[in-house]
Amino acid sequence: MSDTQLDEQPNDHGGHDHAGHDHAGHDHAGHDHAEHGHDEHMASGMSDGAVAPAAGMGDAQKKLLKTLGIGLACSLGGVLVIGLIVVTVGVYKGGWNNALTSAVEHAVPLPVASVNGHMVRYADYVDDLATVHKFFAKQQADANGQPVQVPSEADLRKGVLERLIQKQVLEEQAAAYKIAVAPADIDAEFKKIADQSGGSAEKDIQEMYGWSIAQFKDKVLKTYILQNKLGEALAADKALTGPLEAKAQDVDKQAKAPGADFAALAKQYSGDPGSAAQGGDLGYFAKGTMVKEFEEAAFSMKVGQVSDVVKTQFGWHIIKVTGLKKDKKGVVSEVQASHILITGPAVDTFLAEKVKEARVKRYVDDGVTGAAEKK
């Protein structure tokens, strides 16, 4: 995605204008030099049927010819500009999509949106939309007549646009946390996919998405790894985790109070969607089932005991052991427990909030919100 900053374009164009004027100055000096010293070379380089414009002309005729040449150049430039404007309007307002518009979209950095002044390229929007169409067409072709639920065109367009906006926000937040994805990270992730596919990864990606391996790595794997790394950075950010850890300590204190209803507290506070509604009940589990920190705490506790706060990759847990099973040697083989999970900062939620906070301008009618909206 381009890092071109729309808010800074006037200054950039201004810089180009200065460069253009400097070039014009050099060209003018060059013409003076040609008129004084190279008239003969210019004339001799022309065909017999051509007449050198400068030959035998007075100053008035030369000035007229120069004026006509400038006028012709301006006219041609005007035609090109008008043509570009027509195509651009057709792209934005008419939804044109053909070989001409595709060439313009890739040659001219038209924005589909801007996020905090950074451009989201229309060409990326068109390419990703084509990929989504190809994906669902492949699904339908492989369904052998069975119905395949395909989102409406409006929903597809909206989904593609919003993903591109979120991707830009992700890249901005990753930069703020000084996160980068190395080519070795991407290659290692792709190797996992290739190994699982049995050697058909390249063929599958081409058939399903129409992408090369390089495109798949850039469009999918790079973003996937970047988001995972951002999640790790958020989990280590004390400014975000401090209040959550304090909340976990408070809930732990409530759970240890005499007569506390652990199940009610789990329903009220737990962020575990799989157990909160059941009062935090996890049933019986053996060793090797839970993450290390959770397992070590649970297997060291007595029935009815409530743990101190246990930190894992998922957040902060308050555990209550409700049952034990022992093997023939009297060693605990399974533990029945309930828990309350105070989740850490979720990267999806974090990004959704950052999108809401961002200065986003959408330049296309996505078919759902109606006219291009600005925020």
Side-chain angles (χ1 to χ4, degrees):
M1 196 172 299
S2 172
D3 288 334
T4 303
Q5 294 196 8
L6 298 184
D7 291 345
E8 297 179 0
Q9 280 185 350
N11 291 335
D12 290 341
H13 284 308
H16 289 306
D17 286 342
H18 280 299
H21 288 310
D22 291 343
H23 257 322
H26 291 308
D27 290 341
H28 186 66
H31 285 310
D32 288 342
H33 182 67
E35 287 179 359
H36 290 302
H38 294 289
D39 286 345
E40 292 182 2
H41 290 294
M42 291 176 64
S44 64
M46 302 179 72
S47 66
D48 293 338
V51 178
M57 286 190 181
D59 290 341
Q61 290 93 335
K62 290 180 181 180
K63 186 174 181 180
L64 176 61
L65 184 60
K66 185 175 181 180
T67 302
L68 290 174
I70 293 172
L72 178 59
C74 290
S75 298
L76 291 173
V79 170
L80 291 174
V81 170
I82 292 171
L84 181 58
I85 292 173
V86 169
V87 172
T88 302
V89 171
V91 166
Y92 283 118
K93 295 298 184 182
W96 294 0
N97 187 16
N98 53 42
L100 174 60
T101 58
S102 178
V104 171
E105 290 154 7
H106 286 81
V108 181
L110 299 176
V112 69
S114 69
V115 179
N116 296 325
H118 291 83
M119 181 175 70
V120 179
R121 295 175 67 245
Y122 196 96
D124 292 331
Y125 170 73
V126 172
D127 290 346
D128 287 1
L129 186 60
T131 297
V132 170
H133 286 152
K134 184 177 181 64
F135 173 81
F136 282 109
K138 173 68 173 170
Q139 294 293 303
Q140 290 176 311
D142 293 344
N144 296 321
Q146 297 298 316
V148 176
Q149 187 172 359
V150 179
S152 68
E153 180 65 18
D155 286 344
L156 289 177
R157 288 177 176 271
K158 182 176 177 60
V160 168
L161 178 58
E162 296 310 311
R163 279 193 295 274
L164 286 171
I165 290 171
Q166 180 170 307
K167 182 180 178 183
Q168 178 61 42
V169 170
L170 167 63
E171 291 175 354
E172 291 178 8
Q173 293 303 315
Y177 278 93
K178 296 180 171 57
I179 298 169
V181 177
D185 297 331
I186 300 174
D187 292 341
E189 194 64 38
F190 181 75
K191 187 176 184 303
K192 295 178 186 177
I193 297 173
D195 291 344
Q196 292 171 358
S197 71
S200 65
E202 184 171 2
K203 177 175 175 290
D204 293 342
I205 290 169
Q206 174 60 38
E207 289 182 353
M208 190 164 292
Y209 303 108
W211 287 336
S212 65
I213 296 300
Q215 287 175 307
F216 178 74
K217 287 180 176 180
D218 181 64
K219 289 178 174 289
V220 176
L221 294 186
K222 182 179 178 181
T223 301
Y224 170 76
I225 296 169
L226 198 64
Q227 185 160 325
N228 284 345
K229 287 192 172 188
L230 178 60
E232 293 169 1
L234 297 179
D237 188 340
K238 294 297 184 181
L240 297 175
T241 61
L244 297 171
E245 186 172 4
K247 179 181 178 181
Q249 295 291 350
D250 178 67
V251 174
D252 184 60
K253 184 177 179 179
Q254 293 182 52
K256 290 177 177 176
D261 187 339
F262 193 92
L265 290 172
K267 290 177 181 178
Q268 180 179 355
Y269 293 111
S270 184
D272 180 1
S275 68
Q278 287 74 46
D281 184 23
L282 297 171
Y284 277 95
F285 52 89
K287 286 188 175 182
T289 306
M290 303 296 184
V291 292
K292 180 181 178 182
E293 301 90 343
F294 189 100
E295 178 185 290
E296 289 178 350
F299 274 82
S300 68
M301 294 165 62
K302 299 176 182 179
V303 174
Q305 184 180 354
V306 175
S307 72
D308 292 336
V309 174
V310 177
K311 178 71 170 69
T312 74
Q313 66 195 66
F314 302 105
W316 297 265
H317 306 258
I318 297 98
I319 305 168
K320 182 175 182 178
V321 171
T322 54
L324 297 173
K325 288 184 180 180
K326 298 181 179 181
D327 60 19
K328 294 179 180 180
K329 296 181 180 180
V331 177
V332 176
S333 59
E334 293 185 44
V335 171
Q336 183 183 35
S338 297
H339 82 137
I340 300 169
L341 173 63
I342 306 301
T343 56
V347 66
D348 288 338
T349 303
F350 175 83
L351 288 174
E353 288 300 318
K354 291 301 179 181
V355 169
K356 290 179 182 178
E357 295 170 7
R359 292 180 290 109
V360 178
K361 295 180 181 179
R362 297 168 176 83
Y363 299 115
V364 295
D365 180 349
D366 59 23
V368 176
T369 58
E373 59 177 308
K374 295 184 179 181
K375 185 172 78 171

